[in-house]
């Protein structure tokens, strides 16, 4: 078996996906009697993919390397979306000969310059594992003063799950948090064996039952665009669009920005918040700039 595959993760992902599908969803008749486990059976997936049950069983058990044609067929059979399909191929063919330890990331100068020039747009630079590498003053006023968080804990998904203020900030915290887990799971497919990522997953799995359950579900997503509703203690409710800009000089870095339609109440609120941030003295070390509460970690 090629050393460039992750058979255990691949098998777990396939098992999680077939568990979510009913026979009716893939055009199979419902069988008589109850099923011992939810979703499709292995033999049903094998029939739909035109492969032997033994071959598919070996894939799920991590004892077989899947070819590209088989992966394409399984992606179709299991109704995978584009993100899930990309993750499937990452697991089946990712490189494991990367160095386990890398130099700490620093925000790319071009991204930092762009970040500094944003006026009524909040922005942060995310690195590997969703580490927060840089931010502008409006992002600090909108979310939290990241400079007061120890650098080793300056991680976005960690804040989402461990900072109670984040649960209050996001009107739909559960959906935001679930998406963060899916994005981190996608990154885990690209960066196998990363000890810091494993440590982060272990920490959050112990601390939070939602994280533990969502991580085990193997859902994946890429960071792209969307809309979030925030409940800010200073300027009230904001509906913000978020966009992700990738760095071409370092593909492990992304600029995530929150903005609002010019002339909208949320855009006016961002302008007020920017002025408030300029006039407000820094929060005490170790506290949230918005609420004054102690920060996690």
């Amino acid at each position: 078996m090629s050393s460039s595959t992750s058979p255990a993760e691949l098998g777990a992902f396939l098992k999680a996906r077939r568990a979510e599908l009913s026979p009716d969803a893939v055009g199979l008749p419902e069988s008589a009697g109850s099923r011992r486990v939810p979703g499709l059976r292995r033999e049903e997936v094998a029939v739909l993919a035109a492969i032997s049950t033994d071959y598919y069983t070996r894939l799920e058990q991590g004892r077989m390397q899947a070819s590209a044609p088989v992966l394409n067929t399984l992606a179709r059979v299991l109704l995978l979306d584009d993100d899930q399909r990309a993750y499937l191929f990452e697991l089946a063919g990712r490189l494991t000969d990367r160095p386990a330890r890398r130099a700490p990331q620093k925000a790319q100068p071009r991204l930092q310059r762009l970040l500094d020039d944003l006026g009524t747009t909040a922005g942060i630079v995310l690195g590997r594992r969703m580490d927060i590498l840089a931010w502008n003053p409006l992002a600090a006023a909108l979310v939290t003063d990241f400079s007061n968080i120890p650098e080793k804990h300056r991680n976005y998904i960690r804040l989402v799950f461990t900072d109670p203020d984040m649960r209050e900030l996001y009107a739909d915290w559960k959906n935001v948090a679930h998406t963060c887990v899916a994005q981190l799971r996608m990154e885990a497919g690209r960066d196998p064996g990363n000890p810091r990522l494993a440590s982060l997953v272990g920490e959050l799995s112990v601390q939070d039952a939602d994280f533990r359950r969502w991580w085990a579900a193997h859902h994946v997503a890429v960071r792209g665009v969307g809309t979030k509703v925030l409940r800010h203690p200073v300027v009230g409710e904001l509906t913000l669009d978020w966009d992700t800009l990738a760095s071409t000089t370092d593909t492990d870095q992304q600029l995530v920005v929150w903005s609002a339609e010019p002339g909208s109440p949320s855009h006016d609120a961002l302008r007020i918040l920017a002025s408030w941030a300029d006039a407000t003295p820094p929060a005490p070390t170790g506290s949230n700039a918005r609420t004054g509460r102690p920060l996690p970690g």
Side-chain angles (χ1 to χ4, degrees):
M1 181 175 294
S2 167
S3 63
S4 66
T5 60
S6 178
E9 285 293 320
L10 177 63
F13 181 68
L14 290 171
K15 186 175 181 179
R17 295 291 70 78
R18 72 175 171 87
E20 293 180 339
L21 294 175
S22 67
D24 181 65
V26 294
L28 291 176
E30 290 284 354
S31 58
S34 60
R35 290 173 175 254
R36 290 182 300 169
V37 294
L40 297 177
R41 298 188 177 103
R42 284 174 175 166
E43 55 267 29
E44 291 171 331
V45 175
V47 167
L48 291 168
I51 57 178
S52 70
T53 301
D54 179 66
Y55 182 94
Y56 181 75
T57 300
R58 287 171 176 267
L59 281 181
E60 276 203 5
Q61 293 176 344
R63 297 187 292 128
M64 176 75 70
Q65 181 182 0
S67 65
V70 169
L71 292 174
N72 274 318
T73 301
L74 289 174
R76 175 181 54 79
V77 167
L78 296 174
L79 307 181
L80 302 188
D81 60 27
D82 290 343
D83 292 350
Q84 292 170 332
R85 183 183 180 281
Y87 182 69
L88 178 70
F89 274 78
E90 291 278 359
L91 291 178
R94 66 191 187 182
L95 295 176
T96 57
D97 54 358
R98 307 179 198 175
R101 298 181 64 87
R102 304 193 210 176
Q105 279 184 296
K106 299 295 181 184
Q108 288 291 311
R110 286 185 175 87
L111 288 184
Q112 183 71 64
R113 186 168 63 243
L114 178 60
L115 193 60
D116 293 340
D117 285 343
L118 297 176
T120 56
T121 299
I124 60 175
V125 176
L126 294 181
R128 294 186 292 269
R129 302 171 299 273
M130 302 173 75
D131 288 344
I132 301 162
L133 306 181
W135 57 91
N136 65 0
L138 186 52
L142 183 67
V143 182
T144 190
D145 189 348
F146 302 107
S147 65
N148 280 329
I149 303 172
E151 187 173 354
K152 65 179 180 178
H153 291 155
R154 206 176 287 159
N155 177 278
Y156 200 80
I157 192 170
R158 187 178 187 276
L159 282 175
V160 166
F161 278 94
T162 63
D163 186 350
D165 291 329
M166 295 289 271
R167 294 176 184 258
E168 295 179 14
L169 178 65
Y170 286 117
D172 189 8
W173 177 87
K174 214 155 210 184
N175 184 56
V176 170
H178 183 266
T179 300
C180 283
V181 175
Q183 292 169 349
L184 190 68
R185 171 61 83 172
M186 176 68 91
E187 183 167 343
R190 301 189 188 106
D191 196 7
N194 187 296
R196 289 192 59 187
L197 192 148
S199 176
L200 175 65
V201 170
E203 175 193 352
L204 295 180
S205 294
V206 169
Q207 293 186 18
D208 195 279
D210 283 330
F211 181 92
R212 187 165 59 249
R213 183 174 69 257
W214 294 334
W215 185 259
H218 288 259
H219 293 146
V220 292
V222 295
R223 198 171 298 118
V225 300
T227 301
K228 287 185 172 69
V229 178
L230 280 64
R231 299 175 297 205
H232 197 277
V234 175
V235 294
E237 184 173 296
L238 305 97
T239 300
L240 302 179
D241 297 322
W242 62 274
D243 295 86
T244 306
L245 309 176
S247 169
T248 57
T249 54
D250 184 348
T251 56
D252 285 335
Q253 293 191 26
Q254 296 175 319
L255 173 61
V256 180
V257 295
W258 291 275
S259 63
E261 185 72 25
S264 67
S266 293
H267 187 261
D268 293 339
L270 283 179
R271 294 176 63 185
I272 294 170
L273 187 59
S275 299
W276 175 82
D278 290 339
T280 302
T285 300
S287 65
N288 189 313
R290 294 184 291 107
T291 64
R293 293 184 189 174
L295 289 167

